[in-house]
Amino acid sequence: MENRYVINVLGPTAIGKTALSIKLANAFNTEIISADSRQFYKEMSIGTAAPSNEELAQAPHHFIQHISIEDDYSVGDFEKEAISTSEALFEKQEVLILVGGSGLYVKSFTEGLDEFPEVDADIRVALNLQLQEEGIAPLKLKLQDLDPEYFAKIDTDNPHRVIRALAICIGTGSTFSSFLNKPKKTRSFKTLSIGLTAPREIIYNRINRRVDIMMDEGLLDEAQSLYQKRKLNALNTVGYKELFAFFEGRMDLEAAVEEIKKNTRRFAKRQLTWFRKDETIKWFEHETPAEEIIAYLRSNMQ
C-alpha cells in the first residue's frame, strides 16, 4: 500500500476532467478508470460526453461504454469490477487515475459501499412496475415518508436511487439511512483527490456551450435511436429525457435544449455540493497548468 496511489480527479460536468486525466495518465505512465456512470453505456455517447476515439487513443481507459443500457448493472457491480481491475493494473504500475462525476461510484471505489441486507427481489420488481405505470412522483412521496433523512440528501429524480432506498425500507422495516456511514473498507492504495473548479458563471457557460456542441454533433439523432427504449432506467437522464419530451410533442426543440442546459446546470450544482463535503480534496482552478497539478501530486507521493 505504501507505494500504491490512486489520483482521484473530481469536479462538475464540463469542467475539463477528461483532458486533465489524460495528461496525468501520460505523466505517470499509467491508465484511467472511469467512475462516470453515464459513460458506462455503449449506446449513449454524445449525450454523456464520453471521451472521443481520439481521447481514448491517448491513454488506456477502463469502464467507458463497456455495458448496454439493457444490462442490470449497479454501483455494487462497479465496485467489485473496478477493484479487481485496479488490482491487476497495480501489478504493472504504482499509480492509477480515477476520473468521474458520479460521487457514489467514486466513493464505492475509494472507500467501499455501505453494506445492506438482502431483501425480497419481488419488492424491487413491484417498485419498478409502479415506476413504469405511475412515474416517479408517488415513489418519491413514499420515500419521503419512510426515510425523510435520506430523501433530503439525494437526487430524488434518479429512479434507481429512489427504488434502491425504498426496497431497503420496505424489506427491512428500517430506514435506508440507518445502514449508512459504517466503518470504511480497507483499500490497498492511498487516494490523492484533486478537484477542478471555476466561478459558477464560467461553469454554467461551459455547460451551455457543451450542450450546443452535442446538438451539432448529432444528439438529436442519438436520442431518436433510443426513443423506443426510453423506459429503461439508464435513459431517464439529462440530455435524453428532455428530447424524448420533444418527440412526444410536450415541448418544442428549442425549449428541450434549454431544459437540457438547465438540468445539466442543476446536476453540476449537486456534484459540487457532494464533493465539497470532502475536506481531503485539493481544489485547482480549471485553467491551472497540468504541470502545476502534477508537481503537487508528486510532492504528496513522497
Side-chain angles (χ1 to χ4, degrees), residues 14-45:
I15 198 67
K17 297 186 297 296
T18 296
L20 176 60
S21 67
I22 291 171
K23 291 178 181 178
L24 295 180
N26 290 328
F28 289 94
N29 191 29
T30 190
E31 305 187 16
I32 297 169
I33 292 176
S34 172
D36 188 325
S37 62
R38 285 163 38 91
Q39 295 179 358
F40 292 167
Y41 301 105
K42 57 189 177 184
E43 297 91 343
M44 300 161 64
S45 176

Side-chain angles (χ1 to χ4, degrees), residues 15 17 37 67 73 97 148 169 176 189 207 216 242 244 263 269 279 281 287 296 299 302:
I15 198 67
K17 297 186 297 296
S37 62
I67 57 174
Y73 193 78
I97 312 299
C169 293
F176 187 84
F189 53 80
I207 288 170
D216 290 341
E242 298 86 355
F244 296 159
N263 289 334
K269 185 177 180 180
E279 296 180 355
I281 300 172
E287 293 183 333
Y296 164 80
S299 70
Q302 299 172 356

